[in-house]
Amino acid sequence: LALNAQKAMLERHIVALDEVVPTPPNVTFVDRLSLKRESREIQLLHLGRGHTGGDVVVYLPAERVLFTGDLLYPGAPYLGDGFADEFPQTLERLKELDVDVIAGGHGALMRDKAIIDQVQAYLRTYWSQVSSSYEQELSVAEAVAALDLSGYEDFAAFQIGTPGVLELEVGRMYERLQEIAAASAEN
């Protein structure tokens, strides 16, 4: 039943894509773009890859407020499109910002940077286990079965409790490991 609902949702998205008319940007940036709105400074920052390759956060330095989208929220990030190997370092750069309030892509406002440490620890544990499974030449299904996310059950409830999510995430991590191996072979 859940798979049928997901399939129906994806089919609706595919149909809706026919109505999308892409509009290319007229302003781009690589790492940082500062804007002024009256006296307010608004910084758009690309701190590195994490949830996606193009994660951008919005930082209001005077207000000490940060909007992270899906780069950070209370709980384990979805990694099906992510860069789990680079994600902890991207979050390390996030910790350097002077903030009191973090508005993530989901969930409650965060007022303590300790959540960043928790996400980093989770990512490092997850990446390490998947890397080990990859080195042992386990299949994605075998790697998922070998995962030990003990201590992260509440934190990673979505991943653990939703069929297929771990397979998508581990599959993506295997792709990253293959990309890294190919890049090393070229050098």
Side-chain angles (χ1 to χ4, degrees):
L1 182 62
L3 287 177
N4 285 333
Q6 286 179 344
K7 180 181 178 232
M9 179 188 66
L10 289 172
E11 288 171 343
R12 287 191 304 273
H13 283 177
I14 290 167
V15 169
L17 284 175
D18 286 338
E19 298 177 23
V20 174
V21 178
T23 303
N26 56 16
V27 175
T28 62
F29 67 98
V30 176
D31 297 318
R32 169 187 299 263
L33 177 65
S34 289
L35 306 170
K36 284 282 199 181
R37 176 77 178 188
E38 296 175 8
S39 64
R40 173 179 283 153
E41 179 183 11
I42 303 164
Q43 295 181 9
L44 305 178
L45 307 171
H46 173 65
L47 303 172
R49 301 189 300 186
H51 175 68
T52 68
D55 293 306
V56 172
V57 299
V58 178
Y59 178 45
L60 306 176
E63 293 84 353
R64 298 168 50 104
V65 173
L66 179 68
F67 300 88
T68 64
D70 286 350
L71 184 63
L72 180 68
Y73 49 82
Y78 173 68
L79 298 169
D81 302 316
F83 295 80
D85 55 315
E86 298 176 27
F87 212 144
Q89 186 57 39
T90 299
L91 292 175
E92 195 63 32
R93 290 184 203 89
L94 195 75
K95 285 198 282 193
E96 296 170 5
L97 300 173
D98 189 19
V99 299
D100 293 326
V101 177
I102 302 170
H106 303 272
L109 293 176
M110 297 164 279
R111 299 179 188 278
D112 185 349
K113 287 185 179 178
I115 185 66
I116 300 172
D117 294 326
Q118 187 178 14
V119 173
Q120 287 173 307
Y122 169 78
L123 290 166
R124 288 181 179 121
T125 297
Y126 198 172
W127 177 257
S128 175
Q129 290 182 34
V130 171
S131 295
S132 177
S133 292
Y134 179 82
E135 289 170 10
Q136 295 172 45
E137 299 183 3
L138 299 181
S139 69
V140 168
E142 291 168 330
V144 169
L147 281 174
D148 179 6
L149 297 175
S150 300
Y152 293 105
E153 294 86 356
D154 291 338
F155 186 72
F158 173 75
Q159 283 80 349
I160 295 169
T162 305
V165 170
L166 291 175
E167 287 83 357
L168 290 171
E169 292 183 339
V170 171
R172 172 63 182 141
M173 286 188 240
Y174 269 37
E175 287 174 7
R176 282 294 300 142
L177 288 159
Q178 290 165 355
E179 291 167 5
I180 292 165
S184 291
E186 288 177 8
N187 295 330

